[in-house]
Amino acid sequence: MNAYPALLAAVSSDPLIAEGITPRAPETVMRLSRMGSFHASRLSFMRVLLRRITAEGWRVSKPVWTINAQGVGRAVYSAQGPERAYSLVAFAHDLPPEQRSDRVIATAWDATFTLFDGIPSAADLDRLEANVPLQEAGRISERELCLARANRSVRLWDHVVDRLAAGAQPDLQTVLDVGYLMRTTAVYGSSKFGAADRDVIAARPECAAPFQVEMLTVWLIRTFVMDLVEHMARAKGGATAVPIEPALRRRFGIGNSTGLGMAPFLMTHPVLLNNWIAAREWALARVRSVSTPSAPEIDRFNALVPRVARNAAEWQSSHPVQMVKLAALREDLSRLTAKVAEGLAPHAPWNTLWVWAETALSEEGQEALASLLIEVHPDLVDGLAECMAADEAASFPLDGAQSVAALRQKIVTHYGWALSMDWSAKPAQARVWYVSQEKLEPRLGERWQEDVAEWEQPLQPGRDVAMLERALVGVEGTVAAFVLRYPEHRYAIRRVQICSRFPYAEIHDNTISDQLLPIDLLRAKLSFFGATHFDPRSDRWVRINMFRGAPFPHEIAAEESDLWAYPV
Amino acid sequence: MTYALGEIETLCRKAARGAGHSWGVAEEAGRAARWLCAHGFKGAELIHSCLAPGDEALGVGVKLADFPCDQALPRIAAFEALLPFAAIAAQRLGKTCTLSGPMACYALAADGSVWRAPSMGSAPSFQCGGTPTGERLIRQSRAAPDPETLAALRRLELRTYAPATEASRIAGAGAGLSDND
């Protein structure tokens, strides 16, 4: 922490952080194994979105629903906020089963979507119908903010339609086992395939926090999917059909299947990553600083412990790595439950618990506890969500006036972890991040077995900064003069200059080693979205659940708490 | 058809890499194309012209942005391609800077605003200082590059992609368990 004087100054000037408590150090937090153990929290973007929608009393209507008995047609859901409306435009398709695939190389889906900025006209809908079902092969415009698609879970869809059509409710355990009726396989935002650039909407209050339009898209997709399954049941069962009972309906989230396409994001947006992590670490430090929580706060904590444990119990995965982690998490939560049953410390109970957890629990358990503690004090935490966006253009310019000596000092201070690695060992550089011509998506190759190194992407800051450091030996003068002669180091120099100012901007691990699990990168990012029930399907793609337990639009006004993410 | 500025930035970054620039310089090219389009210039065309073999505009630009100081500049065909770099200089120095060219003289303020005044055919130069005069450039949120430029940029971009193989299709993206259940 001493390497970041600005951070320490900010900590000591925050009256909500007690003497002797600091946010966790980057070398503790910014490790792939820990990032791959992050849990959603109340700072997650879907929580931020629904808090705003509830507080501002947004109204959602369904102005268009022209879907036939085969489940083909279009629908529009419009969400009206205080100043602007946003509309989900949905196209439902009749997809032959053999075409259904989560892979990004798919070309057809059960449903395709866009989020329209405002209320679409009939002409807009016709234009969108000609493009949105094509996804990457179509074009959208500045009036659209997101492009997405989803596929049915064949395990659950037919079961639910059949039961409802027969006048019965779906089986609870079957619902819990899968968790969703459809999973999205991509939710594209800012500027993708012609969509509006983030700059166009960034100044709107409702879009200030990261990924708010993407989260709104997914929340409305979930509503559409539930309406569609009930529509299909009515088409099949006629007067016998029933809707899903409201409490059970809430148990359905929307699934998502995510692969390597998302993995580079955390490396290509270092300041954004810093701001996400800093907000969560700051929140934890503030909560640990509470000396005597009120009785309602203690009640809130006590009520949440079993709900967090239930969430872990309902979380299923058949991936060997996640199965081990889940077993550890469940064990951790039993220990936490027992510890809490012994009674909380009279003074600074959260910090006492935290210090205990740092040695008693696995990383899964520690991160679950971090998210749990943050829940107890919304007043100390929720405002931090406003710090999670980033002005990336401001940190882009290279400081050429910096001396090479000063740059080297920054490398030694902030990249010691990279300098201490033996980059000449083959396993240390076993992998190559590249983009394939086929689908223009990131992939991970084997450097010593495939001829792909020529197309390597700059996604290995540790190695590249270590190479830079070697090139700087014996050099004097300014960074500007050095980089003029050696432009190949420009990328790494910018990286060092950014990451020496932003403590949580860099992952302190080798992102091209033979030990790399790309799913750790995916989980870190998805946890900030608010995803739950991470279920890796290999080392490089993962399924998750989003908005599970969340209120539907018609329920939001009556929602009393925002703790929907934790099953009762 | 119009394009989002993010699309132009990404395309030009990759094209610059495909043209042989380092990733760090390629990032600058992408940012520059975005800046130019955002201020009403033909950003994709200007940056594409800088990617020709032997062209020195990008080199002059990054040098200017890295270490801003008063200087005479070489005669560069795509002179406006230097503007985004002069804008970075103004941002870093925290004051209005001036970029003078044969056709126009630009004042770039630290807050990002840009003014254009006619030039008296002056020799190209950059000054750390100046006063906003002339017309203020209006910000744009879309770009409409000509199709030939787009096609040329895409040909350069293509060089950054590895040819697909069956191995990469399966292992590179990580097949694993069933994706249709």
Side-chain angles (χ1 to χ4, degrees), chain B residues 1-99:
Chain B
M1 177 157 51
T2 67
Y3 289 79
L5 300 187
E7 291 181 286
I8 301 295
E9 175 174 352
T10 303
L11 175 62
C12 288
R13 181 180 69 239
K14 291 176 175 177
R17 175 66 178 167
H21 288 285
S22 71
W23 278 115
V25 173
E27 280 186 308
E28 304 278 354
R31 289 266 173 183
R34 179 193 188 90
W35 189 98
L36 288 163
C37 293
H39 290 83
F41 295 95
K42 295 182 84 60
E45 289 83 349
L46 282 164
I47 293 303
H48 176 247
S49 75
C50 301
L51 301 181
D55 193 279
E56 57 178 344
L58 279 182
V60 171
V62 293
K63 192 178 160 196
L64 173 61
D66 286 354
F67 202 95
C69 55
D70 291 355
Q71 57 192 280
L73 296 166
R75 291 198 177 275
I76 287 166
F79 182 75
E80 271 75 17
L82 297 179
L83 274 167
F85 301 99
I88 288 179
Q91 179 192 335
R92 287 194 45 213
L93 295 171
K95 62 177 182 179
T96 301
C97 294
T98 308
L99 186 72

